[in-house]
Amino acid sequence: MWLGIGRWLVVAVGFAGSGYGLFASARWVAGLVETWRGRGMPTWPNWRK
């Protein structure tokens, strides 16, 4: 019984960790884009013109 609970706990923690990783990387990318827009440094997204 405890083995089954522990296995599902590990699965739930793994899903939570991967979800948080996605969230954190999305926030990091958003911050990077904001920094680029504020400084106007690189112009490689030329397709937006």
Side-chain angles (χ1 to χ4, degrees), residues 1-2 4-6 8 11-12 17-20 22-24 27 29-31 33-34 36 38 45 49:
M1 181 183 167
W2 286 110
I5 291 171
W8 284 111
V11 169
S18 62
Y20 177 73
L22 282 171
F23 171 71
R27 259 183 46 191
V29 168
V33 168
E34 282 300 316
W36 280 341
K49 284 183 179 176

Side-chain angles (χ1 to χ4, degrees), residues 37 43-49:
R37 278 192 190 156
T43 55
W44 55 262
N46 289 331
W47 52 269
R48 300 189 75 172
K49 284 183 179 176

